């Protein structure tokens, strides 16, 4: 018997099981509490499976992350090294991410917080003018999401550029790569968007050293992982004026503890890891396609390189 274990941390899994049944009645999808025999599980589809469980399925053939990132899978040391890991690559998510980043860039550029503050005092301040041509967005990560975001920003007339690990030639898009390219990207950017995977190389990359290369009054958008940001360096950069504001969708501690200073800081726009939530219908189509490929012995999609970390 081949069973697909479906698990999503902190949310009911029943809608996902029902969607599997609707799209692929031949696939036996079950939640964790209905796995009687771990040896029958050949695929795990999960967001944050409890630590240590991957090692308990002796016939596991595929780990399918229920997210674009796989840091939650790689963190489990019980994971059998030979089992392939796939992530979600879904145009629906790229569009949602683009919407979120555009929302944050426009909210900063058009100074919505200023108007909210004026409104609270029943008055409008005069003399605010906007110069979109001065907004230069640097996107860290030029993968599935980063490229979509950079192109969407270009479509709005903003000067976008991107940074990746390997060199890239992308028509009409200024690109930088490698350690030396990071400072150059920051120096030309008035807004920095993080869309990197969380790896040993990228952990803590949003730090004082990088902020020092940004022009005074820049804007930071972190929509990748909380582990990319050194929070003390963020507050120091906001206090010094190096950064004028930050939009944080992801935090090192999620859910954010009630005493965290970000809650009370008007310079920080907070959202609860919703920049690009996984979509029930379109993501299940990706999962079903990969499971069918696995069972037919065909090449899988969205495979990651565990050694590289993404
Ligand atoms: P992806 O397609 O794997 O792209 C990753 C990009 O990062 C690639 O361009 C890669 O460079 C670059 N990169 C990796 N390590 C690097 C390094 N050390 N230096 C420079 N560049 C590096 O990933 P994706 O699908 O775009 O997703 C990116 C991340 O977004 C995910 O890992 C996840 O953490 C986050 N995410 C957040 C949300 C949310 O709701 N907040 C939703 C979805 C995803 P190369 O092109 O040279 O390989």
């Amino acid at each position: 018997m081949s069973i697909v274990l479906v698990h999503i941390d902190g949310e009911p899994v029943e809608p996902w099981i029902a969607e599997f049944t609707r799209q692929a009645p031949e696939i036996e999808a079950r939640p964790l509490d209905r796995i009687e025999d771990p040896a029958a599980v050949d695929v795990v589809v999960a967001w944050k499976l409890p630590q240590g469980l991957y090692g308990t399925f002796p016939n596991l053939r595929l780990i399918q992350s229920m997210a674009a990132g796989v840091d939650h899978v790689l963190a489990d040391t019980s994971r059998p090294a030979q089992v392939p890991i796939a992530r979600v690559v879904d145009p629906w998510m790229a569009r949602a991410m683009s919407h979120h980043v555009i929302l944050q860039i426009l909210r900063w550029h058009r100074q919505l917080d200023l108007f909210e503050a004026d409104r609270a005092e029943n008055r409008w301040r005069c003399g605010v003018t906007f110069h979109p041509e001065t907004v230069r967005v640097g996107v860290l990560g030029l993968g599935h999401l980063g490229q979509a975001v950079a192109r969407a920003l270009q479509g709005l007339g903003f000067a976008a550029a991107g940074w990746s690990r390997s060199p890239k030639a992308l028509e009409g898009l200024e690109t930088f790569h490698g350690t030396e390219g990071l400072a150059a990207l920051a120096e030309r950017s008035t807004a920095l968007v993080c869309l990197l995977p969380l790896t040993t190389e990228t952990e803590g990359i949003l730090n004082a050293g990088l902020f020092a290369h940004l022009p005074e009054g820049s804007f930071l958008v972190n929509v990748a992982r909380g582990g990319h940001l050194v929070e003390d360096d963020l507050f120091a950069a906001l206090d010094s004026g190096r950064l004028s504001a930050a939009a944080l969708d992801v935090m090192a501690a999620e859910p954010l503890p009630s005493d965290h200073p970000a809650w009370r800081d008007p310079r920080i726009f907070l959202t609860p890891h919703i920049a690009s939530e996984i979509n029930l219908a379109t993501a299940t189509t990706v999962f079903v396609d990969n499971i069918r490929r696995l069972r037919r012995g065909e090449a899988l999609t969205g495979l990651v390189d565990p050694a590289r970390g993404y």
Side-chain angles (χ1 to χ4, degrees), residues 18 31 78 81 83 89 100 155 185 267 274-275 284:
S78 80
V83 176
V89 180
H100 182 86
L185 176 94
R267 302 166 299 183
I274 47 71
T284 302

Side-chain angles (χ1 to χ4, degrees), residues 67-71 87-89 93 97 140-147 163-168 177-179 194-199 201-202 205 222-225 228 249-250 273-278 304 308 310:
V70 294
D71 42 306
R87 67 193 196 90
V88 180
V89 180
M93 287 182 81
M97 182 58 83
L140 303 179
L142 280 175
H144 181 62
L145 300 179
Q147 282 194 38
W163 180 69
S164 54
R165 200 162 78 126
S166 53
K168 287 208 187 324
H177 70 277
T179 315
C194 182
L195 267 168
L196 291 164
L198 184 63
T199 67
E201 282 181 24
T202 65
I205 196 167
N222 189 13
V223 277
R225 289 286 184 264
H228 288 119
D249 182 57
V250 288
H273 204 145
I274 47 71
S276 176
E277 283 190 299
I278 194 159
V304 303
R308 210 174 54 163
Y310 69 101

Side-chain angles (χ1 to χ4, degrees), residues 62-70 84-90 144 286-287 289-290 293 299-306 308 310:
L62 169 65
I63 297 172
Q64 172 69 60
S65 169
M66 257 190 170
V70 294
I85 305 169
R87 67 193 196 90
V88 180
V89 180
D90 181 354
H144 181 62
V286 172
F287 305 151
D289 177 57
N290 241 4
R293 284 166 178 267
L300 301 172
T301 65
L303 287 180
V304 303
D305 176 356
R308 210 174 54 163
Y310 69 101

Side-chain angles (χ1 to χ4, degrees), residues 20-268:
F20 263 96
T21 308
R22 192 183 72 77
Q23 291 196 27
E26 83 279 10
I27 293 177
E28 173 82 33
R30 290 193 193 174
L32 195 51
D33 60 6
R34 285 200 49 232
I35 302 296
E36 289 102 31
D37 177 14
V41 173
D42 69 339
V43 178
V44 172
V45 179
W47 166 246
K48 293 188 178 172
L49 193 71
Q51 281 284 313
L53 269 193
Y54 282 112
T56 64
F57 307 112
N59 297 313
L60 194 58
R61 295 169 65 210
L62 169 65
I63 297 172
Q64 172 69 60
S65 169
M66 257 190 170
V70 294
D71 42 306
H72 63 107
V73 177
L74 297 177
D76 189 334
T77 50
S78 80
R79 172 185 59 85
Q82 77 286 358
V83 176
I85 305 169
R87 67 193 196 90
V88 180
V89 180
D90 181 354
W92 191 97
M93 287 182 81
R95 189 181 53 182
M97 182 58 83
S98 301
H99 288 179
H100 182 86
V101 174
I102 285 167
L103 173 73
Q104 300 301 351
I105 296 283
L106 286 177
R107 165 156 118 167
W108 167 70
H109 166 57
R110 303 293 302 212
Q111 300 189 36
L112 273 200
D113 53 338
L114 189 83
F115 297 115
E116 289 298 320
D118 275 6
R119 185 182 169 180
E121 296 174 16
N122 295 7
R123 57 144 194 165
W124 293 129
R125 254 174 278 192
C126 299
V128 181
T129 51
F130 303 108
H131 298 284
E133 60 280 1
T134 64
V135 177
R136 299 185 304 276
V137 187
V139 182
L140 303 179
L142 280 175
H144 181 62
L145 300 179
Q147 282 194 38
V149 165
R151 293 298 191 194
L153 289 164
Q154 280 188 315
L156 291 178
F158 293 120
W163 180 69
S164 54
R165 200 162 78 126
S166 53
K168 287 208 187 324
L170 300 170
E171 202 183 338
L173 187 70
E174 195 181 1
T175 57
F176 300 81
H177 70 277
T179 315
E180 62 297 342
L182 181 57
L185 176 94
E187 275 155 22
R188 56 73 66 201
S189 301
T190 58
L192 201 60
V193 177
C194 182
L195 267 168
L196 291 164
L198 184 63
T199 67
T200 48
E201 282 181 24
T202 65
E203 189 173 0
I205 196 167
L206 304 176
N207 60 35
L210 177 60
F211 299 153
H213 289 286
L214 289 168
E216 197 74 6
S218 292
F219 180 48
L220 175 71
V221 181
N222 189 13
V223 277
R225 289 286 184 264
H228 288 119
L229 177 65
V230 179
E231 292 184 7
D232 287 347
D233 291 2
L234 168 77
F235 286 107
L238 288 168
D239 290 344
S240 72
R242 174 68 53 184
L243 291 176
S244 56
L248 306 179
D249 182 57
V250 288
M251 300 297 290
E254 295 177 2
L256 194 62
S258 59
D259 60 350
H260 195 285
W263 285 113
R264 298 182 304 280
D265 196 322
R267 302 166 299 183
I268 298 177

